[in-house]
Amino acid sequence: MNDLSRRFALFALTPLFFGSAAGAQSPKALSVPADSPRWDLQGKAQASDYQGRKCLLIDGGTAILKDFEMRDGVLDVDVATTANRGFAGFQFRIDREGANAEEVYLRLHKSGAPDAMQYTPILNTGANWQLYNGPGFTGAVDIPKGVWFHLRLEVSGAQAKFYVKDMEKASLEINDLKSGIQKGQVALYVLTGATYFSNFEVRHTPDAPWERHLAAIPPGTLTKWSLSPSYDALARDLERPLPRSESDAIHWRDVEAEPPGIVPINRYRESPHPQVTFQGDFSKRLDPQPGMKVVYARTRIDSDRDQVKKLELGYSDDVSVFLNGKILYRGRSAQGFRDPAFLGIVNPENDVVYLPLKKGSNELLLAVSELGGGWGFICRLMDLGN
């Protein structure tokens, strides 16, 4: 969700399992009124009335359904909003610690835009909307204002469908749910923007086979990496490579890029949540950002001769690129940094660095810092002219 101060609530609830075996008859829908004690209201969430309906009013909060877990199922709710700007929708398959989940939501101020709705996984408390964009993650939809309309979410195995107003055709088809969580709690969530929820129902459906629908990894993608622990970015000199003595002492974690080549650092390291000063004041974009964290990522490139290769690079939010102990590039691609409307969406075409490879083994080291919106990177190594 495009807000760098975004925090994911930690839930300390004891779940009661309602799982259904594949092929079993689905139970009837569970209806939960707005004033039900089944709701755990966190943040700015409360029972209210709107246009003659009993409802939940949420504006920077969460309504979590207590004593309930779901793998596959259907969520239905009526929604109305008066907000000029906001983000409102469902959280589902929330794990017991509240650190990982799935989320699908409306951008209330982006009605009709290509990213008026979005799916994102929550990984280690971080929303990763900058890493996951395009088909299967974002889509256009018209969002009514000041009137009731219906939302439905159908969750089936590793896929989901999100319906807005039209219950016959899905507005967004999520082809591959990314968190890896197969069962968890469900919630109504609003980051900001007063939104009303009424007539909430949830029902289980028989468990579908867990089948991942993964994109291909293009040729040249660098897939094998090792990650350092996370550090306070302001305590590091990110224009200098790691000293060999420090690098040798680090406990590196080997990871593999996920299709189509993204290394989601949030999957392995807890997300920071700094208060980013330039979000509201573009003149502060060069100021230090307390709370920013950095992880070093390294890989090796074998070259059959001395040559220059092109490294296509996408990252969130800040990167230093070192080759064989020398810095080649430093950049920032954070939301709101390059211009006030810049979202910081990660694509391998974001930036290009030219690597002077020597014959034999070369060490490529990235220092990747995070402010919010998804911590990760993608690298593709290409011949010149490609």
Side-chain angles (χ1 to χ4, degrees):
M1 194 167 290
N2 53 348
D3 187 302
L4 294 178
S5 64
R6 190 234 195 277
R7 278 189 179 272
F8 188 70
L10 298 178
F11 310 131
L13 301 175
T14 304
L16 177 64
F17 294 89
F18 289 85
S20 57
Q25 183 177 0
S26 298
K28 293 181 179 179
L30 171 65
S31 297
V32 188
D35 57 358
S36 171
R38 292 289 298 272
W39 291 115
D40 177 18
L41 303 180
Q42 300 186 359
K44 295 181 180 179
Q46 63 185 41
S48 184
D49 293 272
Y50 184 68
Q51 295 183 351
R53 292 195 189 192
K54 297 288 186 182
C55 57
L56 286 170
L57 169 59
I58 309 177
D59 185 0
T62 310
I64 310 154
L65 187 58
K66 298 179 186 178
D67 302 327
F68 184 89
E69 282 200 342
M70 186 185 81
R71 183 194 190 265
D72 290 5
V74 179
L75 306 176
D76 279 287
V77 73
D78 292 334
V79 176
T81 183
T82 57
N84 292 323
R85 178 180 176 83
F87 311 87
F90 295 111
Q91 292 173 344
F92 59 104
R93 289 182 179 165
I94 305 164
D95 70 6
R96 294 189 179 191
E97 293 74 32
N100 301 279
E102 312 284 9
E103 185 171 291
V104 63
Y105 56 93
L106 299 174
R107 285 190 170 102
L108 304 178
H109 52 292
K110 299 294 288 288
S111 179
D115 58 351
M117 55 186 167
Q118 180 154 23
Y119 154 69
T120 184
I122 307 296
L123 304 174
N124 273 310
T125 76
N128 284 258
W129 59 270
Q130 288 179 324
L131 303 186
Y132 301 104
N133 248 265
F137 302 102
T138 57
V141 70
D142 292 327
I143 304 171
K145 186 175 177 181
V147 298
W148 289 102
F149 62 99
H150 197 71
L151 298 181
R152 173 175 293 166
L153 179 67
E154 296 179 354
V155 184
S156 178
Q159 288 77 46
K161 294 181 178 181
F162 185 44
Y163 297 80
V164 182
K165 299 179 295 182
D166 182 353
M167 297 298 106
E168 298 298 322
K169 182 179 179 181
S171 300
L172 181 65
E173 296 194 21
I174 304 163
N175 297 318
D176 189 65
L177 295 167
K178 297 295 185 183
S179 78
I181 305 300
Q182 295 194 19
K183 177 180 281 189
Q185 292 184 280
V186 299
L188 303 172
Y189 176 78
V190 179
L191 176 64
T192 185
T195 303
Y196 302 89
F197 298 87
S198 178
N199 296 332
F200 175 84
E201 291 187 346
V202 59
R203 61 182 172 88
H204 288 285
T205 56
D207 293 349
W210 192 269
E211 297 177 352
R212 301 293 302 275
H213 297 168
L214 299 174
I217 296 182
T221 302
L222 299 180
T223 59
K224 296 186 181 299
W225 294 86
S226 298
L227 301 182
S228 76
S230 62
Y231 305 98
D232 180 353
L234 298 189
R236 316 287 301 186
D237 185 345
L238 298 179
E239 293 185 347
R240 295 185 180 276
L242 280 170
R244 179 54 57 188
S245 59
E246 184 177 2
S247 179
D248 290 345
I250 287 175
H251 178 68
W252 295 89
R253 176 170 181 170
D254 293 337
V255 303
E256 288 204 18
E258 301 175 9
I262 290 174
V263 179
I265 295 174
N266 270 145
R267 193 177 297 282
Y268 311 103
R269 303 289 180 257
E270 184 174 353
S271 180
H273 299 277
Q275 297 295 320
V276 181
T277 59
F278 58 82
Q279 281 290 290
D281 186 348
F282 188 64
S283 69
K284 296 182 179 296
R285 67 195 190 99
L286 298 180
D287 290 359
Q289 301 297 314
M292 185 171 70
K293 297 289 186 180
V294 62
V295 160
Y296 294 93
R298 69 179 184 182
T299 190
R300 303 208 71 85
I301 300 172
D302 292 322
S303 179
D304 60 1
R305 65 187 188 280
D306 292 348
Q307 61 178 319
V308 176
K309 287 253 188 178
K310 179 169 64 175
L311 182 72
E312 297 180 341
L313 173 64
Y315 58 93
S316 173
D317 286 304
D318 184 294
V319 74
S320 299
V321 179
F322 304 92
L323 182 69
N324 298 325
K326 295 181 179 179
I327 190 166
L328 298 182
Y329 176 78
R330 176 145 175 80
R332 177 167 287 182
S333 189
Q335 180 193 3
F337 180 77
R338 298 188 180 186
D339 67 66
F342 182 69
L343 291 178
I345 303 303
V346 172
N347 291 294
E349 299 83 7
N350 286 157
D351 292 293
V352 169
V353 182
Y354 294 90
L355 304 183
L357 300 175
K358 65 181 183 180
K359 182 178 180 180
S361 180
N362 298 262
E363 183 185 71
L364 177 66
L365 180 75
L366 309 180
V368 187
S369 302
E370 170 69 347
L371 291 168
W375 198 356
F377 64 91
I378 183 170
C379 290
R380 293 179 187 164
L381 194 63
M382 311 295 290
D383 292 330
L384 297 184
N386 288 352

